[in-house]
C-alpha cells in the first residue's frame, strides 16, 4: 500500500490522510453534507465556536449536524477556563469524534480577546488551556491543536513541543504568521523542523488544491496529513478529485453536474437555515457556475437575487440550458 493510501491514526481515530479544513461561514453543515457525496470517509471539521457560546447558547445551534457528516471533529476557540468543561461535555455527548482547539485564527475580532493565533504569543495560557482540555476530555475523544507559524514572531516549533508534552494527539499547522493572513509565502521549512521535533502526527494546511501540491508538501515537510481548505469552497467534489489523483485515477465533473450540485446546495441551505438560507449560499456560488457561458454575467444576476425562489428559478434555467447543450467539463 502506498503512503497515500495509508490511513492516519489520531489518538484512537483512524482517518485518511486527506481531510477538510475548517472554514468559518463556508464549511458549514450543508457543504459538509455535500462533501460526503464524494468523500465518504475523510475527516471533516466544524467551524470554530467559542467555549462560552457552546456552553450557553439556548438553541444549541453550533452543535447541529447530520449523522452523514461523520467522522466529524468539533473546533473550539477559547481564552479562559470558564465554561470549558461544560462545553467539552456537550460536544462529546452530542457525538463529535474529535475536539480541536483553534490557535491559528488571525482575525483581530478573535485575537483581541486572546483567542485564536494570539494564544501562540502567550505560551503559559496556551499550555494551561491545552491541559484543561486534555483533563476535561479525559481520553473520551482525541484532542488536536491547529496553529500558525506563530503570532507576530515564528515560534511554531516551540509550540509543537509544548503541545506534544501537554497531551495533544495531533498538530495541524497553517505555516503563516498572523499578519501574513492567508496569502503570503508558506513556510515549509518550519513544518519540516516540527516533523523532526515531535512524534505526534503533523497535518499541513495551506494552498492544497491538487494532488501534485500535496506531493510537494510531503517532499518538503514530511507531513503525515493534508488539509483541503479554500479548494472546497463551493466545490464539494474537490477532495475526491485529489484523493482519486492520489490513487492514479482521474475524476471528472461536468458543468451540468456542478449546476445540479448548486441546486442541491441551495435546497439543503433552505432546509437547514430556512427561507433566508439562499443568502449564505451566495458565497458558495461562483465555483458552481464557473463552467457556464457568460459566467461573470450569471454571477452578477444570481448574486443580486432577492429571494430563494428567484435564485432557484435561475439555477433551474441554467440546468435546463445545459441539458440541451453539450456540457463542458471543468
Ligand atoms: C474564510 C475562511 C475561514 C476560516 N475559518 C477557519 C476556522 O474557523 N478555523 C480554523 O482553524 N481555520 C480557519 N481558516 C483557515 C483554514 O482552515 C486553512 O488553514 C487556511 O485557509 C489555509 O488552507 P487553504 O489554503 O487550503 O485554504 C479559515 C480560512 C478562511 C479563508
Amino acid at each position: 500500500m502506498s503512503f497515500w493510501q495509508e490511513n492516519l491514526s489520531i489518538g484512537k481515530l483512524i482517518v485518511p490522510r486527506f481531510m477538510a479544513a475548517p472554514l468559518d461561514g463556508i464549511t458549514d453543515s450543508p457543504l459538509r453534507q455535500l462533501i460526503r457525496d464524494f468523500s465518504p470517509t475523510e475527516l471533516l471539521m466544524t467551524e470554530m465556536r467559542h467555549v462560552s457560546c457552546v456552553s450557553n447558547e439556548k438553541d444549541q445551534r453550533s452543535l447541529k449536524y447530520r449523522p452523514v457528516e461523520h467522522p466529524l471533529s468539533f473546533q473550539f476557540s477559547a481564552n479562559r477556563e470558564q465554561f470549558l468543561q461544560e462545553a467539552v461535555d456537550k460536544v462529546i455527548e452530542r457525538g463529535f469524534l474529535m475536539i480541536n482547539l483553534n490557535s491559528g485564527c488571525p482575525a483581530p475580532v478573535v485575537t483581541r480577546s486572546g483567542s485564536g493565533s494570539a494564544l501562540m504569543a502567550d505560551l503559559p495560557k496556551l499550555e494551561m488551556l491545552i491541559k484543561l482540555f486534555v483533563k476535561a476530555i479525559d481520553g473520551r475523544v482525541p484532542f488536536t491543536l491547529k496553529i500558525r507559524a506563530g503570532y507576530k514572531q515564528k515560534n511554531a516549533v516551540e509550540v509543537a513541543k509544548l503541545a506534544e508534552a501537554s497531551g495533544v494527539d495531533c498538530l495541524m499547522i497553517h505555516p503563516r504568521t498572523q499578519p501574513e493572513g492567508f496569502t503570503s509565502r508558506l513556510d515549509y521549512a518550519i513544518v519540516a523542523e516540527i516533523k523532526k521535533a515531535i512524534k505526534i502526527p503533523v497535518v499541513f494546511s495551506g494552498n492544497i488544491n491538487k494532488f501534485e501540491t500535496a506531493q510537494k508538501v510531503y517532499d518538503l515537510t514530511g507531513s503525515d496529513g493534508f488539509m483541503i481548505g479554500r479548494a472546497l469552497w463551493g466545490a464539494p467534489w474537490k477532495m475526491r478529485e485529489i484523493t482519486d489523483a492520489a490513487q492514479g485515477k482521474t475524476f471528472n465533473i461536468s458543468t451540468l453536474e456542478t449546476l445540479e450540485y448548486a441546486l442541491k446546495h441551495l435546497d439543503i441551505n433552505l432546509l437547514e437555515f430556512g427561507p433566508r438560507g439562499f443568502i449564505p449560499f451566495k458565497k458558495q456560488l461562483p465555483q458552481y457556475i464557473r463552467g457556464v457561458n457568460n459566467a461573470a454575467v450569471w454571477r452578477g444576476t444570481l448574486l443580486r437575487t432577492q429571494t430563494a425562489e428567484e435564485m432557484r428559478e435561475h439555477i433551474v434555467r441554467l440546468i435546463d440550458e445545459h441539458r440541451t447543450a453539450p456540457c463542458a467539463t471543468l
Side-chain angles (χ1 to χ4, degrees):
M1 192 187 278
S2 86
F3 170 83
W4 299 103
Q5 268 105 60
E6 280 168 14
N7 283 325
L8 186 61
S9 296
I10 304 179
K12 58 187 175 185
L13 195 67
I14 298 174
V15 286
R17 290 192 188 279
F18 288 98
M19 59 189 76
L23 297 181
D24 195 23
I26 306 296
T27 54
D28 53 10
S29 178
L31 180 61
R32 296 194 302 258
Q33 292 175 43
L34 292 169
I35 291 171
R36 278 291 173 246
D37 281 6
F38 300 95
S39 301
T41 56
E42 283 74 6
L43 181 68
L44 306 182
M45 208 181 272
T46 68
E47 307 146 82
M48 169 184 77
R49 290 294 174 266
H50 195 271
V51 282
S52 64
C53 157
V54 174
S55 174
N56 297 325
E57 71 186 347
K58 296 263 180 307
D59 60 3
Q60 309 246 319
R61 197 185 319 166
S62 56
L63 296 178
K64 281 193 186 139
Y65 68 90
R66 302 281 173 182
V68 72
E69 294 170 44
H70 273 312
L72 180 62
S73 171
F74 192 90
Q75 188 183 59
F76 278 118
S77 63
N79 55 348
R80 56 178 188 273
E81 177 171 8
Q82 202 186 11
F83 303 123
L84 193 149
Q85 180 75 58
E86 296 91 315
V88 162
D89 287 342
K90 278 190 179 179
V91 161
I92 296 175
E93 278 157 27
R94 183 70 186 84
F96 289 90
L97 296 179
M98 178 188 284
I99 287 178
N100 179 271
L101 172 62
N102 181 312
S103 187
C105 180
V109 64
V110 173
T111 55
R112 226 176 280 132
S113 68
S115 309
S117 58
L119 287 173
M120 293 189 76
D122 188 347
L123 297 192
K125 192 198 273 181
L126 179 61
E127 182 175 8
M128 175 197 80
L129 285 172
I130 292 174
K131 288 183 173 165
L132 285 169
F133 270 102
V134 170
K135 188 161 168 274
I137 295 169
D138 196 20
R140 289 176 288 175
V141 293
F143 175 54
T144 64
L145 183 72
K146 188 160 179 282
I147 65 170
R148 284 191 163 243
Y151 184 54
K152 307 287 183 199
Q153 307 293 329
K154 290 189 180 178
N155 64 347
V157 180
E158 196 185 343
V159 170
K161 288 181 191 164
L162 182 155
E164 180 173 59
S166 309
V168 167
D169 291 305
C170 171
L171 188 82
M172 288 135 181
I173 176 161
H174 176 52
R176 292 180 170 120
T177 59
Q178 183 265 350
E180 288 174 331
F182 293 107
T183 48
S184 71
R185 226 186 118 260
L186 291 157
D187 189 343
Y188 300 101
I190 206 167
V191 183
E193 215 184 312
I194 288 172
K195 253 311 278 176
K196 288 198 193 98
I198 61 174
K199 293 196 173 60
I200 55 171
V202 175
V203 174
F204 187 99
S205 169
N207 296 9
I208 299 180
N209 57 6
K210 53 183 189 293
F211 176 56
E212 290 72 22
T213 315
Q215 264 180 321
K216 177 182 132 191
V217 167
Y218 177 66
D219 291 344
L220 291 173
T221 67
S223 293
D224 305 281
F226 307 86
M227 271 187 160
I228 321 294
R230 283 165 291 185
L232 284 164
W233 191 326
W237 54 86
K238 203 69 194 179
M239 189 150 56
R240 172 67 177 276
E241 197 178 290
I242 294 170
T243 52
D244 271 4
Q247 295 181 44
K249 294 192 269 182
T250 308
F251 177 85
N252 285 316
I253 187 156
S254 67
T255 301
L256 174 60
E257 286 168 305
T258 67
L259 290 170
E260 285 167 345
Y261 261 89
L263 191 62
K264 195 169 172 183
H265 199 147
L266 173 64
D267 286 342
I268 297 179
N269 261 35
L270 297 176
L271 184 75
E272 299 290 353
F273 305 138
R276 301 199 57 77
F278 78 102
I279 295 171
F281 171 73
K282 286 184 179 183
K283 278 195 271 186
Q284 310 271 356
L285 192 75
Q287 279 292 344
Y288 283 119
I289 59 164
R290 220 179 63 169
V292 308
N293 287 337
N294 299 322
V297 177
W298 271 108
R299 192 166 60 240
T301 305
L302 287 159
L303 293 182
R304 279 193 300 275
T305 53
Q306 298 294 317
T307 64
E309 292 69 30
E310 201 190 333
M311 171 77 83
R312 212 171 184 287
E313 277 166 25
H314 282 311
I315 299 176
V316 168
R317 209 183 110 205
L318 267 174
I319 290 174
D320 287 343
E321 278 176 14
H322 279 76
R323 278 222 179 88
T324 45
C327 44
T329 298
L330 277 183

